[in-house]
Amino acid sequence: MTTAARPYARQQLIETRQLIPASDGIADDFGFTLPVAYSLAVWSDAIFWPDNYAAPRERAEQEWQREWYLLLSLYDAIQQHREDGRQPPARLDFEHYRLPGEHGSIGPRPVRLAAEKGPGDHGEQVITIMQSGQRVPWL
C-alpha cells in the first residue's frame, strides 16, 4: 500500500505566510500548550488591519488585542464543551465577534471559525484556526 504525498507541509505554509503562527505568549495566556496558527484568511479578516484603515478612535485596537480576543473566543468554546461534560472534538466550530476592517463599519460582527487539532509535519499535535469552510491543507 502506498501513501499519497502531502501537497503541502505545515512548515512550508508558515514560511510562505499561508499560515500565521500565534504570537509568542498570547496562546499561553489561555493555556494552549500546542502550537497554534491561523489561516491567512482568518488572519486577514479577524486580526490584521491595513495601515490605511482609519478605525474610529473608540474602536481602535492593537493587533495583539484582536488576536487575544480571537483566542478568548476559542477558549470559551472549549470551556463550554467541558462544562457540558463533553470532550471538545478534534474540529471545533465556534463563533467570534470581530471588529470589521471595512471602512464605515464599526460594530462587532460575528464570524464562524473552526479550530482543528491534528498532526503537524512530524506527527506532533498542532491547532489550526481557519474559516468554517476551510480545511487543513496538509492532511
Side-chain angles (χ1 to χ4, degrees):
M1 176 179 184
T2 61
T3 58
R6 292 179 171 188
Y8 301 99
R10 186 173 189 274
Q11 186 58 42
Q12 177 187 14
L13 294 172
I14 289 172
E15 290 169 1
T16 59
R17 304 283 293 163
Q18 296 303 302
L19 279 179
I20 314 300
S23 298
D24 290 339
I26 292 181
D28 296 339
D29 287 350
F30 299 100
F32 292 110
T33 58
L34 303 177
V36 176
Y38 313 99
S39 71
L40 180 58
V42 167
W43 177 262
S44 299
D45 183 58
I47 298 172
F48 175 78
W49 277 351
D51 290 336
N52 63 352
Y53 179 68
R57 184 176 304 268
E58 69 275 5
R59 288 293 189 184
E61 292 178 335
Q62 298 296 315
E63 193 171 275
W64 70 266
Q65 291 171 305
R66 293 188 298 276
E67 183 178 2
W68 193 90
Y69 284 123
L70 190 153
L71 288 176
L72 175 62
S73 295
L74 174 57
Y75 175 82
D76 286 345
I78 291 169
Q79 294 302 35
Q80 185 62 51
H81 270 75
R82 291 182 176 150
E83 289 171 7
D84 293 345
R86 299 176 290 155
Q87 188 68 2
R91 183 178 175 93
L92 176 62
D93 290 320
F94 66 101
E95 188 169 70
H96 172 62
Y97 282 82
R98 61 96 168 150
L99 291 177
E102 298 89 22
H103 290 284
S105 181
I106 61 170
R109 175 173 76 91
V111 293
R112 294 294 300 168
L113 302 176
E116 189 164 321
K117 182 173 88 170
D121 293 341
H122 305 288
E124 76 283 10
Q125 291 293 294
V126 297
I127 298 172
T128 305
I129 300 173
M130 61 200 97
Q131 292 177 329
S132 63
Q134 289 183 302
R135 294 285 179 233
V136 175
W138 63 86
L139 296 179

